[in-house]
Amino acid sequence: MSARPTLAVWKFSSCDGCQLTLLDCEDELLAVAEHVDIAHFTEMSSASVDGPYDVSLVEGSVTTAADRERILAIREASGLLVTIGACAAAGGIQALRNFTSVAELARGVYAHPEYLDTLETSTAIADHVGVDLELHGCPIDRHQLLEVISALLAGRRPVLPSYSVCQECKQRATVCLLVARGRACLGPVTRAGCGALCPSLDRGCFGCFGPAESANTASLARRLAADGTSQAQLSRLFRTFNAGAPAFRKESVAHDAPPAER
Amino acid sequence: MNETSAMLLDSGGLDRLIGVLGARGFRTIGPVVADGAIGPGPIRHVVDLPQGWHDEQAPGSYRLHRDDDPRLFAWAVGPRSWKGELFPPRSVVWRSSGEGDSLEIVPVVDEAPPVAVIGARPCELAALSILDRVLGTSTHPDPVYRARREAAFVAVVECSTPASTCFCTSMGTGPAVGDDRAGDEGVDLVLTELAGDERHHFLVRAASPLGGEVLAELGGEPAPGWAWSARDRLLAAAEGAIGRALDTDGLAPLLARNLDHPRWDEVAERCLSCGNCTLACPTCFCSSVEDVSDLTGTVERHRRWDSCFDLGYSYVHGGPVRTSVSSRYRQWATHKLSTWFDQFSTAGCVGCGRCITWCPVGIDLTEEAAAIRASDGAGARAYARAGAAGGDQP
């Protein structure tokens, strides 16, 4: 990379929360701007510099035929492609459509569904192009974003955990909500990175960073069921922001009611 | 045990103990109730201690309740051991600035004030003695642990109310100090809480010169004979209340010859590989170092707790060595109960039961060891059959 590498930020189907995390780096934002040339970032400026770009941050999932074409062009124009957030990594909350019929949903929501031009599924960026690094979370953690930018500038591997949220709870001395309170918590099967934010605020982990490496969702589901979590609740627990992540998808489907009972 | 220097204190005397240690410059910490559990926290007076609180523990479950019991230590062990106070979850090893010829690497010296632990358990004292061997006096000691441990004051309270997950009697670490491995080493004061017939006292004996000095400052009366017999009755009852056992007879070689036992795969069906057992364990000492740089050019090397349940933990050049969860559970269990003897001449387990209580799916180390004992050699027989059928032996 040159002395001031260029950075582009791209949006697909998403809420913009992850790219706004870059602007949320308030104290460090000037240092970021000093070290990288922000060439394309529409949440910050409508001015845009043409590619190629040293690094592209890609937010959002692929939900339209146009998205599918655009991500190919972005991949072509980018040195490193880093996806940011659960939408880009697993299809996001909009991947709920993957479990049902889009036509049916569109009829239920829109007065004129015929104006919609959308794909049957919401899919991860990595389903379409090669991805160099994925930042997880809904939204991503700004410390992780800064870590990635710092690591890329220093030419080192970023330190990003693949272990469970439980480790972060233990490191910050949060008492286990599952064991001490019997609360439903996805921490044991969820990738760390948030600093165990929700459990520290007395709320079980939502799993917004997606499955941890070796996530044994079936065993956790058995425990939660023994505590009184219903099958329907289990299905919903695994079917949120990372519904499309294979481990969570499989577990949520395992707790679906049989078709006849729906 | 020196019976002549023992004193009998009331709860006012315990309050003075906290005050005297604070006046000597110690950061006084003890068990406090927070977020539904008892764990280490700052204490300034005896009222900060968990009077009347009791814990109810089972595999994967922990609940607190309170009654009008006057006792301060009528509970077993909480989720956090004292390990975190002496071996913090994350510490900065060094810091550097500049680059090229002007690069400077500055070791970071831990400047935490000395800590006084009031209310560790005998099993936890045994855990500290293990950590002393691993992190304190080994060839490559951890500087933070060593400095904090050397400066620390430790007052142990003997155990009157074990939990259902406790098995210290199997490991020789409790419920009394002086049982096998929970010897008088590395502790300054040993307390026994005595309550009954409207009386509430602490039998306190010094176990180090500093402990003796501090005890002399507290006043109180020399321990009468009834206090010693009350202590004996209390500890005998506590010992009788331990309901869980780990058969340690030949356990190290038993596990060593059962590395291919099918039980490892069975436990992996349940194991979440979340690492809770290792992080709650008072003797698990594994850590990783991470280099962190920021945009201002500062580079730091951090040491942080790690767990053998992480895939990344066994990463060597080319990839991780222990890819299956069964191999990770086996690594942990055989280290605790078998290979730890080869390394440190002792078991790595003190029988505190935390790994059982704080496992979200309640995996029980004693049950796993018993299952392997019950079908010793099962994996080897599977190989023998494969071999007889003409299959390759691994």
Side-chain angles (χ1 to χ4, degrees), chain A residues 32 35 150 153 156 159 163-164 166-167 170-171 173 178-182 188 213-214 216 219-220 222-223, chain B residues 35 60 62-63 80 89 268-274 276 279 290 293 295 307 310-311 328 357-358 360-361:
Chain A
V32 171
H35 287 88
S150 304
L153 287 166
R156 65 173 172 85
V159 179
Y163 50 72
S164 73
C166 297
Q167 294 219 24
K170 292 293 180 287
Q171 289 192 14
L178 190 55
V179 170
R181 314 267 184 102
E213 176 280 318
S214 318
N216 188 347
S219 178
L220 179 65
R222 283 195 295 273
R223 156 76 205 238
Chain B
D35 301 327
Y62 176 100
R63 293 291 185 280
R80 282 192 291 139
E269 291 285 308
R270 298 169 62 207
C271 177
L272 302 170
S273 66
C274 59
N276 273 316
L279 298 164
E290 289 173 349
S293 64
L295 294 167
S307 169
D310 286 346
L311 183 67
R328 291 179 230 166
T357 298
W358 298 97
V361 293

Side-chain angles (χ1 to χ4, degrees), chain B residues 323-360:
Chain B
T323 52
S324 69
V325 173
S326 70
S327 68
R328 291 179 230 166
Y329 185 86
R330 181 183 65 189
Q331 162 65 25
W332 176 70
T334 56
H335 191 208
K336 286 282 153 197
L337 302 176
S338 183
T339 52
W340 206 293
F341 283 99
D342 305 331
Q343 270 183 296
F344 306 113
S345 311
T346 167
C349 172
V350 296
C352 71
R354 284 187 177 89
C355 59
I356 304 171
T357 298
W358 298 97
C359 172

Side-chain angles (χ1 to χ4, degrees), chain B residues 90-344:
Chain B
R90 186 178 282 272
S91 58
V92 184
V93 182
W94 53 251
R95 196 168 277 141
S96 85
S97 59
E99 53 185 59
D101 289 343
S102 70
L103 183 73
E104 230 188 319
I105 291 184
V106 186
V108 174
V109 180
D110 181 46
E111 280 167 0
V115 74
V117 172
I118 298 162
R121 294 305 194 182
C123 61
E124 297 180 306
L125 177 61
L128 288 181
S129 111
I130 288 176
L131 290 181
D132 288 346
R133 213 170 297 190
V134 177
L135 299 171
T137 59
S138 62
T139 324
H140 301 288
D142 182 87
V144 174
Y145 178 85
R146 192 157 76 170
R148 289 191 182 194
R149 178 67 171 112
E150 276 171 3
F153 185 97
V154 177
V156 169
V157 178
E158 293 180 304
C159 203
S160 63
T161 39
S164 84
T165 41
C166 294
F167 55 103
C168 61
T169 43
S170 298
M171 307 314 291
T173 61
V177 168
D179 289 349
D180 286 358
R181 291 168 60 200
D184 281 0
E185 290 288 308
V187 57
D188 298 291
L189 289 178
V190 178
L191 286 75
T192 318
E193 184 175 33
L194 305 170
D197 303 333
E198 308 284 308
R199 290 188 302 205
H200 184 207
H201 293 286
F202 293 89
L203 172 63
V204 187
R205 55 191 198 272
S208 75
L210 178 59
E213 250 179 65
V214 168
L215 186 55
E217 281 184 51
L218 301 180
E221 53 171 306
W226 68 260
W228 287 104
S229 37
R231 170 184 178 263
D232 290 346
R233 283 195 304 276
L234 182 90
L235 293 173
E239 196 169 325
I242 302 264
R244 197 170 294 268
L246 176 65
D247 182 355
T248 56
D249 185 29
L251 184 57
L254 171 82
L255 295 181
R257 66 175 175 265
N258 280 285
L259 298 180
D260 295 309
H261 198 285
R263 185 74 185 191
W264 304 119
D265 286 337
E266 288 163 34
V267 71
E269 291 285 308
R270 298 169 62 207
C271 177
L272 302 170
S273 66
C274 59
N276 273 316
C277 47
T278 60
L279 298 164
C281 176
T283 71
C284 272
F285 57 81
C286 283
S287 63
S288 287
V289 287
E290 289 173 349
D291 289 346
V292 187
S293 64
D294 70 14
L295 294 167
T296 64
T298 302
V299 176
E300 287 181 347
R301 174 160 291 180
H302 294 183
R303 181 200 50 68
R304 66 155 177 88
W305 284 358
D306 203 350
S307 169
C308 51
F309 282 85
D310 286 346
L311 183 67
Y313 176 85
S314 71
Y315 188 94
V316 291
H317 175 74
V321 175
R322 286 186 282 272
T323 52
S324 69
V325 173
S326 70
S327 68
R328 291 179 230 166
Y329 185 86
R330 181 183 65 189
Q331 162 65 25
W332 176 70
T334 56
H335 191 208
K336 286 282 153 197
L337 302 176
S338 183
T339 52
W340 206 293
F341 283 99
D342 305 331
Q343 270 183 296
F344 306 113

Side-chain angles (χ1 to χ4, degrees), chain A residues 23 27 39 68-69 78 83 117 121 162 164 166-167 172 189 192 198 207 231 235 250:
Chain A
L23 291 178
D27 293 341
R68 222 163 33 190
E69 298 304 313
S78 307
T83 67
D117 179 13
T121 54
S162 64
S164 73
C166 297
Q167 294 219 24
R172 66 184 292 166
V189 297
C198 293
Q231 292 296 301
S235 177
K250 187 174 164 217

